[in-house]
Coordinates of all heavy atoms in Angstrom, one line a residue:
L1 N 103.9 116.6 97.3 CA 103.2 115.9 96.2 C 104.1 115.0 95.4 O 103.7 113.9 95.0 CB 102.6 117.0 95.3 CG 101.6 116.6 94.3 CD1 100.4 115.9 95.0 CD2 101.1 117.7 93.4
E2 N 105.3 115.4 95.2 CA 106.3 114.6 94.5 C 106.5 113.3 95.2 O 106.6 112.2 94.6 CB 107.6 115.3 94.3 CG 108.7 114.5 93.6 CD 108.4 114.2 92.1 OE1 107.5 114.8 91.5 OE2 109.1 113.4 91.6
L3 N 106.7 113.3 96.5 CA 106.9 112.1 97.3 C 105.6 111.2 97.2 O 105.8 110.0 97.1 CB 107.0 112.4 98.8 CG 108.4 113.0 99.3 CD1 108.3 113.3 100.8 CD2 109.5 111.9 99.0
Y4 N 104.5 111.8 97.2 CA 103.2 111.0 97.1 C 103.1 110.3 95.8 O 102.7 109.2 95.6 CB 102.0 111.9 97.4 CG 100.7 111.2 97.7 CD1 100.4 110.6 98.9 CD2 99.8 111.0 96.7 CE1 99.2 110.0 99.2 CE2 98.6 110.4 96.9 CZ 98.3 109.8 98.1 OH 97.2 109.2 98.4
D5 N 103.4 111.1 94.7 CA 103.1 110.6 93.3 C 104.3 109.8 92.8 O 104.0 108.9 92.0 CB 102.9 111.8 92.4 CG 101.6 112.5 92.6 OD1 100.7 111.9 93.2 OD2 101.4 113.7 92.2
N6 N 105.5 110.1 93.2 CA 106.6 109.4 92.6 C 107.6 108.9 93.7 O 108.8 109.4 93.8 CB 107.4 110.3 91.7 CG 106.6 110.6 90.4 OD1 106.2 109.7 89.7 ND2 106.3 111.9 90.2
P7 N 107.2 108.0 94.6 CA 108.2 107.5 95.6 C 109.3 106.7 94.9 O 109.0 105.9 94.0 CB 107.3 106.6 96.5 CG 106.1 106.2 95.6 CD 105.9 107.4 94.7
L8 N 110.5 106.9 95.4 CA 111.6 106.2 94.7 C 111.8 104.8 95.2 O 112.6 104.0 94.5 CB 112.9 107.0 95.0 CG 113.0 108.4 94.4 CD1 114.4 109.0 94.7 CD2 112.8 108.3 92.9
N9 N 111.2 104.4 96.3 CA 111.4 103.0 96.7 C 110.2 102.5 97.6 O 109.3 103.3 97.9 CB 112.7 102.8 97.5 CG 112.8 103.7 98.7 OD1 111.8 103.9 99.5 ND2 114.0 104.3 98.9
V10 N 110.2 101.3 97.9 CA 109.0 100.7 98.6 C 108.8 101.3 100.0 O 107.7 101.6 100.4 CB 109.3 99.2 98.8 CG1 108.3 98.6 99.8 CG2 109.1 98.4 97.5
F11 N 109.9 101.7 100.7 CA 109.8 102.3 102.0 C 109.1 103.6 101.9 O 108.1 103.9 102.7 CB 111.2 102.5 102.6 CG 111.1 103.2 104.0 CD1 110.7 102.5 105.1 CD2 111.3 104.5 104.1 CE1 110.5 103.1 106.3 CE2 111.2 105.2 105.3 CZ 110.8 104.5 106.4
V12 N 109.5 104.5 101.0 CA 108.8 105.8 100.9 C 107.4 105.6 100.5 O 106.5 106.3 101.0 CB 109.6 106.7 99.9 CG1 108.9 108.0 99.7 CG2 111.0 107.0 100.3
A13 N 107.1 104.7 99.6 CA 105.8 104.5 99.1 C 104.9 104.0 100.3 O 103.7 104.5 100.4 CB 105.8 103.4 98.0
G14 N 105.4 103.2 101.1 CA 104.5 102.7 102.2 C 104.4 103.6 103.4 O 103.5 103.6 104.2
F15 N 105.4 104.5 103.5 CA 105.4 105.4 104.6 C 104.6 106.7 104.4 O 104.0 107.2 105.3 CB 106.9 105.8 105.0 CG 107.0 106.5 106.3 CD1 107.0 105.8 107.5 CD2 107.1 107.9 106.4 CE1 107.1 106.5 108.7 CE2 107.2 108.6 107.6 CZ 107.2 107.9 108.7
I16 N 104.7 107.2 103.2 CA 104.0 108.5 102.8 C 102.5 108.1 102.4 O 102.4 107.4 101.4 CB 104.7 109.2 101.8 CG1 106.1 109.7 102.3 CG2 103.9 110.4 101.3 CD1 106.1 110.6 103.5
G17 N 101.6 108.7 103.0 CA 100.2 108.5 102.6 C 99.4 107.9 103.8 O 99.9 107.0 104.5
S18 N 98.1 108.3 103.9 CA 97.3 107.8 105.0 C 95.9 107.6 104.5 O 95.2 108.7 104.2 CB 97.3 108.6 106.2 OG 96.6 108.1 107.3
P19 N 95.3 106.4 104.4 CA 96.0 105.1 104.6 C 97.2 104.9 103.6 O 97.3 105.6 102.6 CB 94.9 104.1 104.3 CG 93.6 104.9 104.4 CD 93.9 106.2 103.9
A20 N 98.0 104.0 104.0 CA 99.2 103.8 103.2 C 98.9 103.1 101.9 O 97.9 102.5 101.7 CB 100.2 102.8 104.0
M21 N 99.9 103.3 101.0 CA 99.8 102.6 99.7 C 99.7 101.1 99.8 O 100.4 100.5 100.7 CB 101.0 103.0 98.8 CG 101.0 102.3 97.4 SD 102.5 102.6 96.5 CE 102.3 104.3 96.0
N22 N 98.9 100.5 99.1 CA 98.8 99.0 99.0 C 100.1 98.5 98.3 O 100.3 98.9 97.1 CB 97.6 98.5 98.3 CG 96.3 98.9 99.1 OD1 96.0 98.4 100.1 ND2 95.6 99.9 98.5
L23 N 100.8 97.6 98.9 CA 102.0 97.0 98.3 C 101.8 95.5 98.2 O 101.8 94.8 99.2 CB 103.3 97.4 99.1 CG 103.6 98.9 99.2 CD1 104.7 99.1 100.2 CD2 104.1 99.4 97.8
I24 N 101.6 95.0 97.0 CA 101.2 93.6 96.8 C 102.2 92.9 95.9 O 102.5 93.4 94.8 CB 99.8 93.6 96.1 CG1 98.8 94.5 96.9 CG2 99.3 92.1 96.1 CD1 97.6 94.8 96.1
D25 N 102.7 91.8 96.3 CA 103.6 91.0 95.5 C 102.9 90.2 94.5 O 101.8 89.6 94.7 CB 104.5 90.1 96.4 CG 105.4 90.8 97.3 OD1 105.7 92.0 97.0 OD2 105.9 90.3 98.3
G26 N 103.4 90.1 93.3 CA 102.8 89.3 92.2 C 103.8 88.7 91.2 O 105.0 89.2 91.2
K27 N 103.4 87.8 90.5 CA 104.3 87.1 89.5 C 104.3 87.8 88.1 O 103.2 88.2 87.7 CB 103.9 85.6 89.4 CG 104.8 84.8 88.5 CD 104.3 83.4 88.4 CE 105.1 82.5 87.5 NZ 104.6 81.1 87.4
I28 N 105.4 88.0 87.5 CA 105.5 88.6 86.2 C 104.9 87.6 85.2 O 105.3 86.4 85.1 CB 106.9 88.9 85.8 CG1 107.5 90.0 86.7 CG2 107.0 89.5 84.3 CD1 109.0 90.3 86.5
V29 N 103.9 88.1 84.4 CA 103.3 87.3 83.3 C 103.2 88.2 82.1 O 103.5 89.4 82.1 CB 101.9 86.8 83.7 CG1 102.0 85.8 84.9 CG2 101.0 87.9 84.1
E30 N 102.7 87.6 81.0 CA 102.5 88.4 79.8 C 101.5 89.5 80.0 O 100.4 89.3 80.5 CB 102.0 87.5 78.7 CG 101.8 88.2 77.3 CD 103.1 88.7 76.7 OE1 104.1 88.1 77.0 OE2 103.0 89.7 76.0
G31 N 102.0 90.8 79.8 CA 101.1 91.9 79.9 C 101.0 92.6 81.3 O 100.4 93.6 81.5
G32 N 101.7 92.0 82.3 CA 101.7 92.6 83.6 C 102.2 91.8 84.7 O 103.0 90.9 84.6
V33 N 101.5 91.9 85.9 CA 101.9 91.2 87.1 C 100.7 90.5 87.6 O 99.6 91.2 87.9 CB 102.5 92.1 88.2 CG1 102.8 91.4 89.5 CG2 103.8 92.8 87.6
Q34 N 100.7 89.2 87.8 CA 99.5 88.5 88.3 C 99.4 88.5 89.8 O 100.3 88.2 90.5 CB 99.6 87.0 87.8 CG 98.3 86.3 88.2 CD 98.3 84.9 87.5 OE1 99.1 84.6 86.6 NE2 97.4 84.0 88.0
V35 N 98.3 89.0 90.3 CA 97.9 89.1 91.7 C 96.6 88.3 91.9 O 95.6 88.7 91.4 CB 97.8 90.5 92.2 CG1 97.4 90.6 93.6 CG2 99.1 91.3 92.0
G36 N 96.7 87.2 92.6 CA 95.5 86.4 92.7 C 95.1 85.8 91.3 O 96.0 85.3 90.6
D37 N 93.9 86.0 90.9 CA 93.4 85.6 89.6 C 93.3 86.7 88.6 O 92.7 86.6 87.5 CB 92.1 84.9 89.7 CG 91.0 85.8 90.2 OD1 91.3 86.9 90.6 OD2 89.8 85.3 90.4
F38 N 94.0 87.9 88.9 CA 93.9 89.0 88.0 C 95.3 89.5 87.6 O 96.2 89.5 88.4 CB 93.2 90.2 88.8 CG 93.1 91.4 88.0 CD1 92.3 91.5 86.8 CD2 93.8 92.6 88.4 CE1 92.2 92.7 86.1 CE2 93.7 93.7 87.7 CZ 92.9 93.8 86.5
T39 N 95.4 89.9 86.4 CA 96.7 90.4 85.9 C 96.7 92.0 85.9 O 95.9 92.6 85.2 CB 97.0 90.0 84.5 OG1 97.1 88.5 84.5 CG2 98.3 90.6 84.0
V40 N 97.5 92.5 86.8 CA 97.5 94.0 86.9 C 98.3 94.5 85.7 O 99.5 94.1 85.5 CB 98.2 94.5 88.2 CG1 98.4 96.0 88.2 CG2 97.5 94.0 89.4

């Protein structure tokens, strides 16, 4: 459960879980990270 909830890096995050965690790159903007036309 700790691995699933608190992965320490991108590899663990993408490896643990089925289907895998979505890993999406985005640009830092005011209030969060912009992915497409939405700010996470």
Side-chain angles (χ1 to χ4, degrees):
L1 193 58
E2 177 68 14
L3 282 178
Y4 192 83
D5 288 341
N6 293 300
L8 292 182
N9 58 42
V10 166
F11 177 77
V12 176
F15 191 81
I16 297 297
S18 181
M21 179 185 286
N22 296 286
L23 296 168
I24 313 164
D25 294 339
K27 184 180 179 182
I28 297 175
V29 295
E30 182 64 30
V33 176
Q34 185 171 345
V35 177
D37 60 359
F38 178 68
T39 299
V40 178

